[in-house]
Amino acid sequence: MASPNTIVVLGAGVSGLTTAYLLSQDPTNQITVVAKHMPGDYDIEYASPWAGANYFPTGAPGSDHAEWERATWPALSELAQNQPEAGIHFQPSIVYNREKDQNSNTGKWFAELTREDPWYKDVVPDFRKIPSNELAPGIDNASYFTSVCINVAVYLPWLIGQCRRNGVVFKRGVFKHVSDAAHAHHSGKKADLVVNCTGLGSKKLGGVLDDALYPARGQVVVVRNDPGAMVSISGSDDGADEVVYMMTRAAGGGTVIGGSYQKDNWESQPDPNLAVRIMKRAVALWPNLVAEGQGIEGLDIIRHGVGLRPVREGGPRVAKDVVDGVPVVHNYGHGGFGYQASYGCAYTAVKLAKEALQERNQAKL
Ligand SMILES: Cc1cc2nc3c(=O)[nH]c(=O)nc-3n(C[C@H](O)[C@H](O)[C@H](O)COP(=O)(O)OP(=O)(O)OC[C@H]3O[C@@H](n4cnc5c(N)ncnc54)[C@H](O)[C@@H]3O)c2cc1C
Ligand SMILES: *[C@@H]1O[C@H](CO)[C@@H](O)[C@H](O)[C@H]1NC(C)=O
Ligand SMILES: *[C@@H]1O[C@H](CO)[C@@H](O)[C@H](O)[C@H]1NC(C)=O
């Protein structure tokens, strides 16, 4: 038998867990996942538990980002269809657009999502334009499709379960430097490869401090109300970085109402005024969220939340590297699309991992 490959995956967000899961399907890979935060933790340094999360593509046509999103749909759709234990379900989806948002942060963020003829129209089922005579005043155009919503509180533990079934070992650890991570493999041997899925943590981690990373702060209100559809719009009149979206998580996960896209804002505590604006905008856009005639008093709040999207100027870094003699594959910087691009990015990371291990094994001969 070929000698096993020892791999340390650094980070247990959706990026690290998806990459570890795919790598663990090859039995010659012996994998340790090491992270400061694990599913079950709620911390401002850990983006994955705060996400909605749905599949609303935002990558520009032809970009790597778009290709990673395209490659992710079949996996999420298969899980929604056939694996109820993963906590993913299909939802009707409506995207509203206002011309006046074209140059705002949120309008640019949703530019592809709100297009009449987007690349993803042949990826998700049922895509169609909503006729203009069906639109409320103030809305310029809109589209409809079927997408998925992930209950991340079920899905992240599901990923851990799949990994453990394949022999992956999970440990807590905090690393100052890449080369320390290489010594964290459960075999006691120095790892052949480190996979770097540290999200925004990559901004501070030693070895390759990445200044292209910045946070885009997202505040949410999670409620028990069920709007019956995932609804979002290109912007709001409350500022260029405030938006409206709502999505109901599978299996009793509640409805996540957003939100904001506040660049370079690291504030971990919910802003109560922003919370009121989020709720008001949601009820105004989609009155079915509450009983007839009710305002935000009709919302039944579970909790308020804040997460930091790990945005990287120029897009995520999914690439091979060597740091202090240790082969490394990076997979971080997924902004607001870490779930909807998770499989696409992880497929690329696995391909790069194979190449890096081959190069390493050849060098050893
Ligand atoms: C409000 C909100 C809504 C969102 N909605 C969606 C959505 O609908 N769809 C979608 O696709 N995406 C959405 N996102 C984006 C998504 O949450 C992120 O892109 C994704 O979670 C990033 O995952 P990650 O694994 O790369 O990073 P993280 O989840 O942040 O995980 C990083 C991991 O690395 C570990 N780590 C970091 N530094 C170190 C260190 N030095 N030593 C040890 N461990 C370390 C951390 O402990 C953690 O385990 C949303 C985000 C927010 C905030
Ligand atoms: C809505 O209008 C914008 C701006 O004119 C356009 O770019 C976009 O493609 C339109 N979207 C739909 C769904 O019609
Ligand atoms: C991960 O990437 C970040 C940013 O480039 C860097 O600071 C960190 O040292 C890397 N970690 C590993 C394990 O390679």
Side-chain angles (χ1 to χ4, degrees):
M1 198 188 116
S3 69
N5 303 310
T6 52
I7 302 176
V8 168
V9 176
L10 191 51
V14 67
S15 307
L17 295 178
T18 311
T19 309
Y21 172 39
L22 297 183
L23 283 170
S24 74
Q25 290 167 355
D26 177 347
T28 56
N29 292 334
Q30 290 186 353
I31 302 163
T32 311
V33 175
V34 193
K36 184 173 179 186
H37 304 97
M38 292 279 179
D41 300 342
Y42 287 88
D43 193 286
I44 196 66
E45 292 180 15
Y46 186 28
S48 292
W50 303 109
N54 68 8
Y55 182 91
F56 269 25
T58 49
S63 64
D64 286 344
H65 174 174
E67 292 315 306
W68 286 321
E69 289 176 332
R70 182 193 295 278
T72 299
W73 174 260
L76 295 180
S77 168
E78 201 279 327
L79 291 173
Q81 215 144 25
N82 300 320
Q83 309 224 34
E85 62 275 29
I88 304 179
H89 65 174
F90 292 107
Q91 291 277 278
S93 308
I94 299 167
V95 176
Y96 293 118
N97 190 44
R98 310 186 313 171
E99 306 243 338
K100 63 178 168 186
D101 296 325
Q102 272 184 9
N103 294 315
S104 71
N105 288 349
T106 61
K108 285 188 221 154
W109 174 29
F110 284 167
E112 186 62 23
L113 181 64
T114 54
R115 211 179 293 287
E116 183 166 13
D117 193 24
W119 61 263
Y120 66 84
K121 70 179 194 304
D122 304 319
V123 174
V124 295
D126 310 321
F127 183 89
R128 62 174 187 264
K129 192 175 158 105
I130 298 179
S132 48
N133 61 2
E134 291 174 23
L135 300 178
I139 310 261
D140 294 309
N141 60 38
S143 47
Y144 175 95
F145 53 95
T146 297
S147 189
V148 291
C149 185
I150 303 168
N151 182 344
V152 305
V154 175
Y155 182 60
L156 297 174
W158 180 84
L159 282 172
I160 291 200
Q162 301 305 301
C163 287
R164 279 173 54 85
R165 182 191 291 275
N166 292 342
V168 176
V169 174
F170 286 83
K171 293 204 295 187
R172 294 273 181 168
V174 185
F175 296 101
K176 293 230 158 57
H177 201 278
V178 184
S179 45
D180 305 331
H183 290 286
H185 195 268
H186 65 272
S187 63
K189 291 183 208 141
K190 187 175 176 195
D192 298 321
L193 177 73
V194 172
V195 184
N196 182 3
C197 303
T198 49
L200 204 53
S202 300
K203 195 169 175 73
K204 294 173 191 159
L205 200 59
V208 208
L209 295 173
D210 191 337
D211 278 331
L213 281 164
Y214 63 88
R217 180 178 183 275
Q219 183 168 323
V220 297
V221 183
V222 187
V223 299
R224 295 188 179 82
N225 308 57
D226 186 349
M230 301 198 287
V231 186
S232 88
I233 187 167
S234 52
S236 75
D237 295 335
D238 294 332
D241 52 12
E242 294 195 23
V243 73
V244 191
Y245 63 81
M246 62 194 83
M247 62 186 87
T248 302
R249 288 174 166 182
T255 298
V256 179
I257 307 178
S260 64
Y261 196 86
Q262 299 163 296
K263 291 185 177 178
D264 287 312
N265 184 334
W266 294 82
E267 177 54 55
S268 65
Q269 296 308 303
D271 168 357
N273 294 309
L274 174 54
V276 170
R277 292 197 296 276
I278 286 172
M279 292 188 282
K280 280 195 161 171
R281 291 196 297 258
V283 172
L285 184 69
W286 197 256
N288 289 345
L289 190 55
V290 290
E292 200 175 334
Q294 287 200 301
I296 67 171
E297 300 79 5
L299 291 171
D300 186 0
I301 299 173
I302 301 170
R303 67 175 169 273
H304 297 271
V306 176
L308 302 179
R309 301 176 183 89
V311 189
R312 187 166 180 275
E313 208 75 63
R317 184 163 177 220
V318 188
K320 271 190 299 183
D321 194 2
V322 177
V323 184
D324 295 342
V326 181
V328 174
V329 170
H330 300 282
N331 183 10
Y332 66 82
H334 302 86
F337 52 91
Y339 285 85
Q340 65 198 27
S342 56
Y343 284 89
C345 292
Y347 296 140
T348 302
V350 167
K351 183 177 137 265
L352 297 174
K354 270 192 194 143
E355 291 171 13
L357 288 165
Q358 257 161 19
E359 285 157 19
R360 187 185 177 283
N361 291 339
Q362 270 155 10
K364 272 203 296 200
L365 291 177

